[in-house]
Amino acid sequence: MAATLGDYSPVLSTVQKWAAEFKRDTESLEDDPRSERPATATTQENTTRVHHMVIDDRRLTVNQIANTIGISYERVENILYKELDISKVSARWMPQLLTSDQKHTMLIMSQANLALFETDPVSFLERFFTQDEFWVHYIEPETKRQSFQWKHPSSPTPKKAKVVSSGNGLRFLGCKGHCVH
């Protein structure tokens, strides 16, 4: 065998294993089919289950999905990335997430302040005052890793408000009246 195959000849232990198999009347050296689980876990049923899980909770991890369905981590990754074409992305930081009503209110306030400034620029700042400030403890914002979500290529990138933490665990939330800080 070594003279015929050269560098491609099998090692002695492999040849001994083959000889033992043929002595037991084994006609093929191919692996026997395994009955304990299907050849692949990438079935239509599992693909549908993974898709529904991701749609219901876009922040699930691959491990959580694999443990719930009972298939391997690698199969879940294959289903997500290749079968469903879904990727996990971090939410994009936005300076502020405002509702349309809040945006409209800010526009009206800005226009009113601009009109006041154009009327009397010198005393404009004298008109502003601060009263009844209030500070409250806040909850730490989620990290970038915590904001990861699954998304299809055609769906928009998720957004989250950018929060700047203060050093003492307090945040200024506002004041009554007109404020300038």
Side-chain angles (χ1 to χ4, degrees):
M1 225 182 207
T4 306
L5 298 175
D7 289 340
Y8 298 103
S9 63
V11 295
L12 178 61
S13 61
T14 302
V15 175
Q16 289 171 337
K17 180 180 170 189
W18 290 344
E21 290 293 325
F22 285 121
K23 284 181 184 175
R24 283 184 261 166
D25 291 329
T26 303
E27 295 178 10
S28 172
L29 295 176
E30 299 293 323
D31 289 337
D32 293 332
R34 298 179 183 167
S35 61
E36 65 268 6
R37 67 179 196 170
T40 180
T42 311
T43 63
Q44 185 59 42
E45 178 186 350
N46 285 342
T47 302
T48 303
R49 288 179 69 193
V50 168
H51 188 256
H52 287 303
M53 287 180 72
V54 168
I55 296 301
D56 289 343
D57 184 358
R58 293 187 178 271
R59 295 182 179 216
L60 287 173
T61 64
V62 175
N63 276 333
Q64 289 170 324
I65 296 168
N67 291 337
T68 301
I69 294 180
I71 59 177
S72 72
Y73 181 95
E74 291 78 15
R75 288 296 90 207
V76 172
E77 279 189 323
N78 182 62
I79 290 171
L80 288 167
Y81 297 121
K82 293 193 172 127
E83 301 294 321
L84 297 175
D85 194 26
I86 295 176
S87 59
K88 198 158 196 182
V89 296
S90 175
R92 189 169 26 155
W93 287 105
M94 301 299 292
Q96 230 174 359
L97 292 178
L98 301 175
T99 66
S100 58
D101 289 340
Q102 290 170 326
K103 289 178 186 177
H104 184 69
T105 301
M106 287 186 70
L107 174 67
I108 292 170
M109 289 175 58
S110 296
Q111 289 172 336
N113 285 332
L114 180 60
L116 284 173
F117 176 76
E118 289 172 347
T119 304
D120 188 6
V122 175
S123 64
F124 176 73
L125 289 177
E126 293 174 6
R127 294 174 181 243
F128 284 85
F129 62 93
T130 303
Q131 76 181 43
D132 296 330
E133 290 184 5
F134 57 96
W135 295 74
V136 296
H137 287 277
Y138 65 92
I139 299 171
E140 281 294 319
E142 66 184 4
T143 64
K144 184 171 186 163
R145 184 170 211 62
Q146 291 169 329
S147 75
F148 279 146
Q149 296 181 32
W150 296 105
K151 81 170 210 69
H152 287 284
S154 60
S155 58
T157 303
K159 298 174 186 170
K160 71 177 182 177
K162 184 170 184 171
V163 180
V164 179
S165 61
S166 62
N168 60 2
L170 296 175
R171 170 134 333 155
F172 176 73
L173 290 183
C175 61
K176 295 179 182 176
H178 298 283
C179 302
V180 173
H181 292 280

